[in-house]
Amino acid sequence: MTGQLDGRSAVVTGGGRGVGLAIAQALVDAGASVVVADNGTAIDGRGESEEVASAAAAALGETAVPFAGDMSDPTSASALVDLATQEFGRLDIVVNAAAILRDAFVFKGNVDDWNAVIGTNLSAAYYLLAAATPVMRAQAKATEDYDWGRIVNITSTAGFYGNFGQAAYASAKAGLFGLTRVTAMDLARAGITCNAVAPFGRTRVTEIIQPANDFQAEYKDRAMRVSPAHVARFVAYLCAAEAQTITGQLFAVRGREVFLFGQPRPTAHIAKDDADWTPAALHEGVSRELAPHFTDLTTDLEAFNTEPLV
Ligand SMILES: NC(=O)c1ccc[n+]([C@@H]2O[C@H](COP(=O)([O-])OP(=O)(O)OC[C@H]3O[C@@H](n4cnc5c(N)ncnc54)[C@H](O)[C@@H]3O)[C@@H](O)[C@H]2O)c1
């Protein structure tokens, strides 16, 4: 990717650690300047440390600058966009990777945890897109070919399969995909793409998995062998000129595997054209035509617990 993103300017939220840091590194390696936006918080979103963003930016080199604001605060979004445009003169790439986890079974959760997770994992992405896309759109319109601008939202397979105890996290990640689709539509005429990528990669989050049984121990062992650099390579590809026509898509990257996900569309259908449905007729129609197509309750951990290519 060397040189493919020369002259481009990016912001990466959650860029101080883990998957976000790997993405920031890949963008810098490809020639982009990057604002590393990370408030250095704990996995559960408690506490902050300015050190995380500044250490990451320093390690990335002179084309990276830190931003330590809390992205769940709407004022951080415009401050981050201002910083990128002041430092680099433009903004071409936005990667939303910041996220926190506060897991609880739905029958045990609380509203504060729900709001914190939705605020960081979903609302913060919207705040940043609302602040960044007017700048990106104005830039695109100023060129003749309307062909530049890239947005990548880092989602999770938990948002589409679900996983035990992840009501808030999965809801935010599923919501992020809705945001991805609409952003792709709203910015299509400006030539700005927006895609979602569900990553797999060894980070502090996989490190703290405490296996409760053999299945989870096996999952952790596999997860710990997957470098987040693979995800970063794919995100950098989505940001390159070759990916201009790729938008509104949902991918996953695990090691050297890249998955394209189907998107929910009707897979079966029943209709009554002569009268309203009765309960008995509904039960008969649902059982015969829809039930064979129901989706089972496989979690994402179970669905992806196969040997990774690392
Ligand atoms: N690691 C995986 O296998 C995996 C799997 C599925 C999804 N993801 C997603 O990938 C992304 C990165 O995850 P990770 O495993 O690298 O986690 P991580 O905890 O290592 O990194 C997340 C970073 O985001 C930062 N952050 C959190 N809240 C913030 C806020 N309000 N403002 C600014 N920065 C904030 C944290 O300080 C941290 O450095 C997340 O969106 C996560 O949901 C990761």
Side-chain angles (χ1 to χ4, degrees), residues 106-295:
V106 72
F107 47 85
K108 285 189 173 172
N110 71 65
V111 169
D112 288 345
D113 288 345
W114 169 271
N115 286 337
V117 172
I118 298 293
T120 296
N121 300 11
L122 177 57
S123 302
Y126 170 74
Y127 303 150
L128 181 53
L129 295 185
T133 53
V135 173
M136 296 171 75
R137 215 167 145 258
Q139 276 173 196
K141 282 175 141 181
T143 64
E144 261 176 31
D145 37 7
Y146 270 44
D147 72 344
W148 238 86
R150 299 286 188 269
I151 297 162
V152 180
N153 293 324
I154 301 301
T155 180
S156 169
T157 50
F160 313 105
Y161 286 81
N163 191 15
F164 296 104
Q166 295 203 305
Y169 183 79
S171 301
K173 293 300 190 178
L176 199 52
F177 182 60
L179 178 62
T180 300
R181 288 287 299 178
V182 173
T183 304
M185 291 169 187
D186 287 353
L187 294 171
R189 286 191 59 198
I192 297 167
T193 71
C194 182
N195 291 287
V197 175
F200 292 86
R202 177 184 60 244
T203 68
R204 64 175 179 164
V205 181
T206 45
E207 274 162 23
I208 58 127
I209 296 173
Q210 302 286 340
N213 53 42
D214 288 349
F215 172 81
Q216 288 177 12
E218 203 182 311
Y219 181 86
K220 179 176 179 177
D221 173 61
R222 288 181 168 145
M224 291 301 291
R225 282 187 275 130
V226 179
S227 165
H230 297 288
V231 177
R233 197 172 292 120
F234 185 69
V235 171
Y237 160 70
L238 287 179
C239 293
E242 286 84 348
Q244 176 60 42
T245 58
I246 304 173
T247 193
Q249 302 306 308
L250 174 59
F251 300 97
V253 180
R254 190 185 68 148
R256 285 185 273 112
E257 293 173 282
V258 177
F259 303 86
L260 173 69
F261 278 72
Q263 300 185 17
R265 299 288 181 271
T267 52
H269 167 245
I270 54 174
K272 203 153 175 49
D273 57 8
D274 53 347
D276 288 345
W277 288 98
T278 63
L282 265 181
H283 185 60
E284 199 271 325
V286 168
S287 305
R288 194 184 60 236
E289 301 294 338
L290 305 192
H293 303 277
F294 284 175
T295 304

Side-chain angles (χ1 to χ4, degrees), residues 17 39-48 99-101 204:
R17 275 189 286 235
N39 72 341
T41 191
I43 291 172
D44 65 4
R46 292 189 170 90
E48 295 189 22
I100 60 169
L101 275 167
R204 64 175 179 164

